[in-house]
Short mmCIF file of all heavy atoms in Angstrom, two decimals:
data_model
loop_
_atom_site.label_atom_id
_atom_site.label_comp_id
_atom_site.label_asym_id
_atom_site.label_seq_id
_atom_site.Cartn_x
_atom_site.Cartn_y
_atom_site.Cartn_z
N MET Z 1 0.85 -1.18 0.00
CA MET Z 1 0.00 0.00 0.00
C MET Z 1 0.89 1.24 0.00
O MET Z 1 1.90 1.28 0.67
CB MET Z 1 -0.87 -0.03 1.27
CG MET Z 1 -1.77 1.16 1.45
SD MET Z 1 -1.08 2.43 2.49
CE MET Z 1 -2.51 3.39 2.78
N THR Z 11 -0.33 30.00 1.55
CA THR Z 11 -1.39 30.90 1.99
C THR Z 11 -0.78 32.23 2.41
O THR Z 11 0.44 32.35 2.53
CB THR Z 11 -2.16 30.33 3.19
OG1 THR Z 11 -1.28 30.31 4.31
CG2 THR Z 11 -2.69 28.93 2.92
N CYS Z 51 -8.20 12.04 0.25
CA CYS Z 51 -8.79 12.71 1.41
C CYS Z 51 -8.06 14.02 1.65
O CYS Z 51 -6.96 14.24 1.17
CB CYS Z 51 -8.76 11.82 2.65
SG CYS Z 51 -7.12 11.44 3.27
N SER Z 53 -7.85 17.37 4.89
CA SER Z 53 -8.18 17.73 6.27
C SER Z 53 -9.53 18.43 6.34
O SER Z 53 -10.03 18.69 7.43
CB SER Z 53 -7.10 18.67 6.83
OG SER Z 53 -7.14 19.91 6.14
N LEU Z 62 -6.25 20.06 -3.42
CA LEU Z 62 -6.73 18.83 -4.07
C LEU Z 62 -7.37 19.17 -5.42
O LEU Z 62 -7.10 18.50 -6.43
CB LEU Z 62 -7.74 18.12 -3.17
CG LEU Z 62 -8.33 16.84 -3.77
CD1 LEU Z 62 -7.38 15.68 -3.60
CD2 LEU Z 62 -9.67 16.53 -3.14
N SER Z 75 -11.20 15.61 9.48
CA SER Z 75 -10.85 16.84 10.21
C SER Z 75 -9.68 16.64 11.17
O SER Z 75 -8.98 17.60 11.48
CB SER Z 75 -12.07 17.39 10.94
OG SER Z 75 -12.49 16.49 11.94
N ASP Z 76 -9.45 15.42 11.62
CA ASP Z 76 -8.32 15.21 12.54
C ASP Z 76 -6.97 15.23 11.84
O ASP Z 76 -5.93 15.11 12.48
CB ASP Z 76 -8.51 13.91 13.33
CG ASP Z 76 -9.45 14.10 14.52
OD1 ASP Z 76 -9.74 15.27 14.87
OD2 ASP Z 76 -9.90 13.09 15.08
N VAL Z 84 -4.33 31.11 21.29
CA VAL Z 84 -4.25 32.58 21.31
C VAL Z 84 -3.13 33.11 20.42
O VAL Z 84 -3.06 34.32 20.18
CB VAL Z 84 -4.07 33.12 22.75
CG1 VAL Z 84 -5.27 32.74 23.62
CG2 VAL Z 84 -2.78 32.66 23.38
N ARG Z 88 -0.83 35.27 14.45
CA ARG Z 88 0.15 36.23 14.97
C ARG Z 88 1.54 35.79 14.56
O ARG Z 88 1.82 34.60 14.46
CB ARG Z 88 0.04 36.32 16.50
CG ARG Z 88 -1.31 36.87 16.94
CD ARG Z 88 -1.50 36.81 18.43
NE ARG Z 88 -0.60 37.72 19.12
CZ ARG Z 88 -0.40 37.68 20.44
NH1 ARG Z 88 -1.02 36.79 21.19
NH2 ARG Z 88 0.43 38.53 21.02
N LEU Z 94 4.67 38.59 18.80
CA LEU Z 94 4.76 37.60 19.88
C LEU Z 94 6.08 37.63 20.64
O LEU Z 94 6.16 37.06 21.73
CB LEU Z 94 4.55 36.18 19.32
CG LEU Z 94 3.14 35.87 18.87
CD1 LEU Z 94 3.10 34.54 18.14
CD2 LEU Z 94 2.18 35.87 20.04
N GLU Z 109 7.34 20.50 22.18
CA GLU Z 109 6.45 19.46 21.67
C GLU Z 109 5.31 19.16 22.64
O GLU Z 109 4.21 18.83 22.22
CB GLU Z 109 7.24 18.17 21.39
CG GLU Z 109 8.20 18.27 20.23
CD GLU Z 109 7.50 18.47 18.91
OE1 GLU Z 109 6.63 17.65 18.56
OE2 GLU Z 109 7.82 19.44 18.22
N GLU Z 137 -5.33 -0.68 3.64
CA GLU Z 137 -4.33 -1.24 2.71
C GLU Z 137 -4.68 -0.99 1.25
O GLU Z 137 -4.50 -1.85 0.39
CB GLU Z 137 -4.11 -2.73 2.97
CG GLU Z 137 -3.51 -3.02 4.34
CD GLU Z 137 -3.09 -4.46 4.52
OE1 GLU Z 137 -2.37 -4.99 3.64
OE2 GLU Z 137 -3.48 -5.06 5.53
N ASP Z 139 -4.13 2.16 -1.78
CA ASP Z 139 -3.41 3.40 -2.06
C ASP Z 139 -4.31 4.61 -1.82
O ASP Z 139 -5.46 4.65 -2.25
CB ASP Z 139 -2.92 3.42 -3.51
CG ASP Z 139 -1.81 2.41 -3.76
OD1 ASP Z 139 -1.37 1.74 -2.81
OD2 ASP Z 139 -1.38 2.31 -4.92
N CYS Z 142 -3.48 11.91 0.62
CA CYS Z 142 -4.03 12.84 1.61
C CYS Z 142 -3.41 14.22 1.42
O CYS Z 142 -2.18 14.35 1.41
CB CYS Z 142 -3.72 12.37 3.04
SG CYS Z 142 -4.52 10.83 3.50
N ILE Z 143 -4.25 15.22 1.28
CA ILE Z 143 -3.79 16.61 1.24
C ILE Z 143 -3.98 17.15 2.65
O ILE Z 143 -5.10 17.23 3.16
CB ILE Z 143 -4.58 17.47 0.24
CG1 ILE Z 143 -4.65 16.82 -1.14
CG2 ILE Z 143 -3.98 18.87 0.18
CD1 ILE Z 143 -3.34 16.68 -1.88
N TRP Z 156 7.07 7.45 11.97
CA TRP Z 156 7.37 6.27 11.17
C TRP Z 156 8.85 6.10 10.85
O TRP Z 156 9.33 4.98 10.71
CB TRP Z 156 6.58 6.31 9.86
CG TRP Z 156 5.10 6.32 10.05
CD1 TRP Z 156 4.38 5.66 11.03
CD2 TRP Z 156 4.13 6.99 9.26
NE1 TRP Z 156 3.04 5.90 10.88
CE2 TRP Z 156 2.85 6.71 9.81
CE3 TRP Z 156 4.21 7.81 8.14
CZ2 TRP Z 156 1.67 7.22 9.26
CZ3 TRP Z 156 3.04 8.31 7.60
CH2 TRP Z 156 1.79 8.01 8.15
N PRO Z 158 11.94 7.72 12.54
CA PRO Z 158 12.61 8.60 13.50
C PRO Z 158 13.99 9.04 13.00
O PRO Z 158 14.73 8.25 12.44
CB PRO Z 158 12.73 7.73 14.75
CG PRO Z 158 11.73 6.64 14.59
CD PRO Z 158 11.59 6.42 13.11
N THR Z 168 9.43 18.53 7.27
CA THR Z 168 8.41 19.47 6.81
C THR Z 168 8.60 19.74 5.33
O THR Z 168 9.60 20.31 4.93
CB THR Z 168 8.46 20.79 7.60
OG1 THR Z 168 8.35 20.52 8.99
CG2 THR Z 168 7.34 21.73 7.16
N ASP Z 170 7.93 21.33 1.48
CA ASP Z 170 7.53 22.60 0.90
C ASP Z 170 6.06 22.51 0.48
O ASP Z 170 5.52 21.42 0.32
CB ASP Z 170 8.38 22.91 -0.34
CG ASP Z 170 9.82 23.22 0.01
OD1 ASP Z 170 10.10 23.64 1.15
OD2 ASP Z 170 10.68 23.03 -0.88
N ALA Z 171 5.44 23.66 0.30
CA ALA Z 171 4.05 23.70 -0.17
C ALA Z 171 3.93 22.95 -1.50
O ALA Z 171 4.79 23.08 -2.37
CB ALA Z 171 3.61 25.15 -0.34
N GLY Z 181 1.35 -4.11 5.22
CA GLY Z 181 0.40 -4.15 6.33
C GLY Z 181 0.37 -2.76 6.94
O GLY Z 181 0.17 -1.76 6.24
N PHE Z 187 10.14 5.45 2.04
CA PHE Z 187 9.45 6.64 1.54
C PHE Z 187 10.30 7.31 0.48
O PHE Z 187 11.51 7.10 0.39
CB PHE Z 187 9.13 7.62 2.67
CG PHE Z 187 10.34 8.29 3.27
CD1 PHE Z 187 10.80 9.50 2.76
CD2 PHE Z 187 11.01 7.72 4.34
CE1 PHE Z 187 11.92 10.13 3.32
CE2 PHE Z 187 12.11 8.34 4.89
CZ PHE Z 187 12.57 9.54 4.39
N GLY Z 191 6.85 15.86 -5.50
CA GLY Z 191 6.54 17.27 -5.74
C GLY Z 191 7.76 18.12 -5.96
O GLY Z 191 8.87 17.78 -5.82
#
Side-chain angles (χ1 to χ4, degrees):
M1 178 264 194
T11 68
C51 66
S53 67
L62 179 81
S75 65
D76 279 346
V84 299
R88 296 173 67 193
L94 290 171
E109 291 294 305
E137 296 189 50
D139 291 357
C142 294
I143 309 294
W156 299 325
T168 304
D170 291 336
F187 69 91

